[in-house]
Each structure stands twice: as structure tokens, then as C-alpha cells.
Amino acid sequence: MEETTFIMIKPDGIQRRLVAPIIARFENRGFTLVAIKLVHASESLIDQHYAELTSKPFYPGLKQYMLSGPVVAMVWKGKSAAALGRAIVGATNPKESAPGTIRGDYCNDVGRNVVHASDSVESAKREIALWFKPEEIAHYAPCDLGWVYENVA
């Protein structure tokens, strides 16, 4: 079943010019990009996005980091997009991320882990709704779907 997921390249990923390599990881896996924008997020948006973390002791530092520069917010579509998106990104702690994952290849510290990926279908729906209006999400079928997935009509 196709689903959508939310992926965000964080300020350190922008500053390090990793946008194209990160996008390529998802395209190479066969995901379909259906929404993208460069955003300098507001405090309110960051607080809503990380609502479950606002009471944690590390949250002020996380919030300051997320407000330090623009992010690239994206919606990707594909089979098992949320689970596979997390697999492409790697473990939250880069020291636990396997080589070949984004964090395993580009990161050293949790506080500079380059990218966010929704951790579930439910989280993806909530995050997509925070960052994108429905009319900002494109609906189309790439011509190569039959080469990416089996049994596509």
C-alpha cells in the first residue's frame, strides 16, 4: 500500500549543502516527491512539530537549533514510506546509525543529525498537515512505477 511520509532536512543539512544528496537517497529508492519547500520555521511551528519533546531538558537547545536557519520540508510517497524513510535516514543517534544511511554517512552527534523522518504513518499525517496545505501536495503517478514496484497497473 502506498503511503506518504514527512522528511525534513534540518539547518545543518542546509548549511552543509547536503540537500541534493539527501533527496537523491529517496529518489534512488523509488519514492515519489509530492511536496517540497524551503522554510524558516516559526517558534510556534517548531513547538507544534516537536510537541512530545517540549518538556524534555534538551528541548530548548533543539528548538534554538531548528530556528537557526531554514529547513527543507518534503512529502514523499511510496510503499511503506514511513518505515522505509526511517530506514534510509538511520537511527536518531548517528553513532548507532549504520553506514549507508543518511545519518551513518553524514552525522556525528545527535544534536546535528541533519534530517528528520516521521516515525509512523500517524506521525507523518500529523507532520504533513503542520507543514503543508492540502493544495501544496501534488497528485500524480510517475511513469516508472512499474519499474519500481511489482503489480502496478
Side-chain angles (χ1 to χ4, degrees), residues 11 13-15 27 37 42 47-48 60 72 96-97 102 123 125 127 136 140 153:
I14 306 293
Q15 291 293 331
E27 288 184 327
K37 60 182 163 181
S42 67
D47 288 341
Q48 290 175 65
V72 173
E96 299 168 3
S97 290
I102 292 169
S123 292
K125 287 177 183 175
E127 293 168 355
E136 294 177 309
Y140 68 102

Side-chain angles (χ1 to χ4, degrees), residues 74-120:
M74 300 174 284
V75 180
W76 290 90
K77 183 177 174 183
K79 284 187 180 178
S80 303
L84 287 176
R86 291 289 289 192
I88 292 166
V89 167
T92 301
N93 184 342
K95 292 174 180 72
E96 299 168 3
S97 290
T101 65
I102 292 169
R103 290 178 178 151
D105 291 348
Y106 298 125
C107 305
N108 293 300
D109 291 328
V110 173
R112 296 294 181 270
N113 64 7
V114 178
V115 67
H116 165 85
S118 298
D119 63 6
S120 67

Side-chain angles (χ1 to χ4, degrees), residues 79 144-153:
K79 284 187 180 178
D144 67 350
L145 286 182
W147 295 105
V148 175
Y149 303 113
E150 294 179 316
N151 306 316
V152 174

